[in-house]
Amino acid sequence: MSIYNTAADAANTAVRAFLTQIGEYYLERSFNSGSGKSKSDWERIKTEIFNNLCAYCGKEGQKLQMDHLIMFNRTEFGLHHPGNIVPACNGCNSRSKKEDKTYSNWEEHLSYICEKNNEKDKFYDRWKRIKYHITESEFKYPVLSDEEKKAIQIIANNLYDNVKTEFEGAIKLYEELDKAFSKRKNS
Ligand SMILES: [Zn+2]
């Protein structure tokens, strides 16, 4: 967590909070993976579905972090939902980029990792496990229509712009007020 916060950070935080709430809307309960049932869900995803291995490189004995398959930001508008999280080691948790500098989706990322580690033959098994998690397991991700996906994008982008504008307005307001205070002090 950075100490230096910008208007864009505030706006991105608002977008993540929105994607969390929409994830909970589909899940029909809270999903705070730090405590209670949500925490045990995350433990079970790690142990029962992924056997305590990184979902991408398959290494064991790594400290496994939560990776959102559909990125939890304005790149892919993934929801914070048990069906969207998989265990990833530190190295695999930072998403690779393609030649055109845009982020890989999770399938491209998996392919990149397998190729990098000379394990192309492992791609299909890992891909199948992740697919099972998303589409068949009890944690499965909600199936969203194109309309629903589009609505999430539009609303999240709108929220981002509004928070950024509000934030910049707040700074401006303070600067103007402060000028007025100093004028009063000096008169
Ligand atoms: Zn890994």
Side-chain angles (χ1 to χ4, degrees), residues 5-174:
N5 286 299
T6 63
D9 294 327
N12 281 321
T13 299
V15 167
R16 281 195 297 274
F18 172 71
L19 295 171
T20 298
Q21 296 284 305
I22 301 301
E24 291 182 345
Y25 166 80
Y26 284 107
L27 191 61
E28 297 179 336
R29 60 174 170 86
S30 84
F31 184 51
N32 173 359
S33 39
S35 65
K37 170 148 176 49
S38 308
K39 190 178 178 182
S40 74
D41 283 345
W42 168 230
E43 287 305 317
R44 289 184 50 223
I45 291 169
K46 277 193 285 190
T47 55
E48 293 173 21
I49 299 190
F50 291 93
N51 300 321
N52 284 313
L53 306 173
C54 170
Y56 297 101
C57 71
K59 289 203 183 92
E60 61 180 334
Q62 308 281 320
K63 188 170 169 9
L64 295 171
Q65 300 162 345
M66 201 179 282
D67 178 71
H68 290 88
L69 291 167
I70 309 169
M71 292 172 82
F72 180 47
N73 57 27
R74 290 194 309 141
T75 305
E76 295 187 326
F77 302 92
L79 306 179
H80 184 59
H81 184 282
N84 195 31
I85 59 168
V86 295
C89 71
N90 195 36
C92 296
N93 198 16
S94 78
R95 191 62 64 94
S96 51
K97 286 185 177 169
K98 292 178 285 194
E99 275 178 17
D100 64 2
K101 304 281 180 229
T102 59
Y103 283 104
S104 310
N105 65 30
W106 72 263
E107 287 166 300
E108 293 162 337
H109 185 58
L110 176 63
S111 163
Y112 165 82
I113 301 281
C114 292
E115 215 157 300
K116 193 179 74 168
N117 297 340
N118 272 320
E119 292 180 333
K120 270 169 113 168
D121 55 322
K122 302 275 172 61
F123 174 85
Y124 186 58
D125 282 345
R126 289 174 193 162
W127 179 86
K128 253 191 340 200
R129 191 179 299 269
I130 294 174
K131 270 285 183 195
Y132 165 79
H133 175 60
I134 306 175
T135 59
E136 286 174 57
S137 78
E138 65 177 282
F139 302 107
K140 62 179 182 266
Y141 195 68
V143 179
L144 302 176
S145 67
D146 288 344
E147 271 177 329
E148 286 167 326
K149 285 184 200 162
K150 194 80 204 152
I152 289 171
Q153 287 185 20
I154 291 170
I155 297 171
N157 279 332
N158 199 34
L159 176 63
Y160 180 92
D161 291 339
N162 287 343
V163 170
K164 203 157 170 279
T165 305
E166 280 289 323
F167 190 92
E168 287 159 355
I171 303 298
K172 216 168 170 171
L173 176 63
Y174 180 75

